Amino acid sequence: MLAGKNILLGVSGGIAAYKMANVASMLVKQHADVHVVMTKNAAKFITPETFEVLTRNKVYLDTFDERPDDPVHVPHISLGTGADLILIAPATADIIGKIANGIADDMLSTVVLPARCPILICPSMNVYMLENPIVQDNIEKLKRFGYEIIEPAEGYLACGYEGKGKLPEESYLVERVLLRAACKKDLAGKRVVVSAGPTEEPLDPIRVITNHSSGKMGYALARAAALRGAQVTLVSGPTSIKAPYGVKVEHIHTAEEMYQQVTQAAETADIVVMAAAVADYTPAEVADQKIKKSDGDMAIPLKRTKDILLSLGQNKRKGQFICGFSMETEKLLENSSAKLAKKNADMICANSLTQEGAGYQVDTNILTLITRDGQEQLPLLSKLDASHRIFDKILSMID
Ligand code: CTP
């Protein structure tokens, strides 16, 4: 996702500096060209060679270090001006103070001054150092000048204290980089609502009727939309997946709750994608107490839930795009095309439960995008890549 992007990692002298090796490696795996500038104190926690091996680029510690890959330009300028994004993590009180006050007395504090790209700073230090009003004042000043502050996490700190000041998980830092630097922001200014996961219809205080949906497709759609700059609301049934960063999540259980949340969010949405596996039926009555077994068999009376996609299609605003999903075990394209017409949707993403690599629980999917103009068969793709193809298609139809 970062192919062609130049990411500058600034590492200052906190114990969490060692974690940045993982961050560098994860960014390289996303095909970023990663350059690392360290303070001399950072080099006491992790060696420059570690970053050099991982990034295959020279690591800079001294303001007068030369740049083998660009001998023409002055390194302390070109490293900053050439970056698409700078991430400073861990950022000690010292480097924060220097940047906030325009001090440029080492390579790291110097490269940020000429930079014109987004600069993300993750303060990481002892909780009392972090709470110090001077440090807080410096952080506020950085925010005022447009630096993006990544809030430190809370927990057990290496100094033995409990509290705020931990460097967040490496994957979280990478996600913050992706959100700023990955993908064309072609959904910027658009409001996108995605539904995901199963619903749970209660029978009694203990039992529910649900399905096998993992929520992976809907969460991937929400993440893809956020990465492309959309303002995203994810209405999610119960899942074990972590919410994508930068997405507003509304947690629901029942089909009725999903109807309420989706309908409300759809009022101002430009695009709605119903990826949730919504129950079509719910128990006609929910028992107050646990239903006790008897000797004979039993039947549970069920009543219909509201069809959310149908309601969205019937109440579609001018210019609004409504996309549904369709899961079938037979006559996939025929049944899915019928849903497109019946529910007044603009697109149906059809996936067959019988194909290997498609459907519930797995990280991949094989979709056919059905619109009024025809059908587009997608190959086996990761659910994130499939999500991007869905938004590519939607954008080609609304622009
Ligand atoms: N859907 C919905 N509300 C429901 C049931 C389904 O909005 N009560 C949406 C799903 O989120 C999906 C689409 O409708 O986007 C198609 O769901 P699917 O279960 O495949 O089809 P159904 O409409 O339920 O039709 P059938 O049960 O006959 O296959």
Side-chain angles (χ1 to χ4, degrees):
M1 281 198 265
L2 293 172
K5 298 285 178 189
N6 181 322
I7 307 294
L8 185 77
L9 281 189
V11 184
S12 65
I15 175 70
Y18 78 93
K19 293 188 181 173
M20 295 308 288
N22 242 340
V23 173
S25 166
M26 289 158 94
L27 294 173
V28 168
K29 281 183 193 150
Q30 293 291 342
H31 298 272
D33 184 18
V34 181
H35 295 269
V36 177
V37 176
M38 303 173 79
T39 63
K40 296 209 166 102
N41 280 345
K44 293 186 176 157
F45 293 105
I46 180 164
T47 67
E49 287 78 3
T50 305
F51 289 115
E52 285 182 348
V53 170
L54 291 169
T55 64
R56 293 172 197 92
N57 281 321
K58 175 181 163 128
V59 170
Y60 301 85
L61 277 99
D62 190 273
T63 319
F64 298 99
D65 277 347
E66 291 187 356
R67 204 170 163 183
D69 60 335
D70 183 6
V72 178
H73 297 103
V74 184
H76 69 262
I77 306 295
S78 69
L79 282 167
T81 53
D84 293 299
L85 179 140
I86 299 178
L87 168 67
I88 303 182
T92 58
D94 181 63
I95 194 70
I96 289 168
K98 281 183 190 171
I99 298 172
N101 291 285
I103 296 169
D105 68 350
D106 64 6
M107 188 58 136
L108 181 53
S109 54
T110 306
V111 290
V112 294
L113 283 180
R116 291 286 175 271
C117 62
I119 302 180
L120 279 53
I121 296 188
C122 187
S124 174
M125 65 195 80
N126 165 272
V127 56
Y128 294 139
M129 286 176 77
L130 184 67
E131 285 172 1
N132 184 300
I134 298 173
V135 174
Q136 283 300 317
D137 206 44
N138 284 335
I139 291 174
E140 286 309 312
K141 192 171 170 187
L142 289 176
K143 283 186 195 167
R144 276 205 312 279
F145 280 106
Y147 292 79
E148 186 174 321
I149 301 296
I150 302 179
E151 286 298 314
E154 281 186 43
Y156 178 79
L157 304 171
C159 53
Y161 285 79
E162 283 276 345
K164 200 168 171 181
K166 270 172 84 77
L167 192 75
E169 277 175 31
E170 293 95 310
S171 57
Y172 176 76
L173 293 177
V174 172
E175 192 64 22
R176 294 290 295 255
V177 171
L178 292 175
L179 219 56
R180 288 303 296 259
C183 306
K184 257 200 352 220
K185 306 300 176 195
D186 50 6
L187 285 172
K190 298 259 186 285
R191 289 171 200 261
V192 175
V193 176
V194 178
S195 72
T199 54
E200 279 181 352
E201 306 301 321
L203 266 169
D204 68 11
I206 295 162
R207 302 169 179 107
V208 293
I209 298 176
T210 187
N211 58 65
H212 290 305
S213 170
S214 61
K216 285 179 176 176
M217 191 65 232
Y219 275 63
L221 280 157
R223 184 172 174 226
L227 286 169
R228 291 168 80 147
Q231 194 180 321
V232 187
T233 302
L234 174 63
V235 182
S236 172
T239 74
S240 56
I241 313 176
K242 248 170 70 186
Y245 177 76
V247 167
K248 181 178 171 208
V249 188
E250 303 287 356
H251 293 283
I252 57 89
H253 284 89
T254 63
E256 177 60 27
E257 288 166 1
M258 180 161 277
Y259 170 80
Q260 298 296 343
Q261 289 291 345
V262 170
T263 317
Q264 197 187 329
E267 277 171 22
T268 53
D270 301 293
I271 300 166
V272 185
V273 187
M274 283 295 299
V278 188
D280 289 323
Y281 293 91
T282 189
E285 273 174 36
V286 183
D288 290 339
Q289 307 298 331
K290 182 184 172 191
I291 301 167
K292 302 297 285 178
K293 65 175 168 297
S294 53
D295 288 341
D297 298 338
M298 79 177 290
I300 303 163
L302 300 172
K303 61 178 184 193
R304 279 294 305 271
T305 57
K306 292 179 185 128
D307 190 323
I308 306 168
L309 186 62
L310 177 70
S311 156
L312 290 170
Q314 284 170 342
N315 298 295
K316 194 173 9 177
R317 290 195 332 270
K318 193 168 179 303
Q320 193 177 44
F321 194 98
I322 306 290
C323 172
F325 268 69
S326 169
M327 197 162 256
E328 299 286 344
T329 50
E330 55 181 359
K331 296 190 194 150
L332 174 67
L333 299 181
E334 193 184 320
N335 289 344
S336 303
S337 302
K339 280 176 208 174
L340 179 81
K342 184 179 155 206
K343 303 199 187 198
N344 193 29
D346 299 293
M347 181 158 83
I348 293 285
C349 308
N351 52 180
S352 165
L353 269 177
T354 52
Q355 278 175 289
E356 192 160 335
Y360 291 137
Q361 304 290 341
V362 291
D363 292 323
T364 52
N365 216 346
I366 304 167
L367 295 173
T368 310
L369 309 186
I370 303 174
T371 62
R372 276 183 199 88
D373 296 334
Q375 299 175 359
E376 185 184 348
Q377 174 66 55
L378 302 183
L380 176 73
L381 293 170
S382 73
K383 284 185 172 167
L384 186 64
D385 287 341
S387 301
H388 280 300
R389 295 289 291 268
I390 289 168
F391 285 116
D392 288 345
K393 183 81 185 170
I394 293 175
L395 278 170
S396 76
M397 291 175 71
I398 62 177
D399 278 351

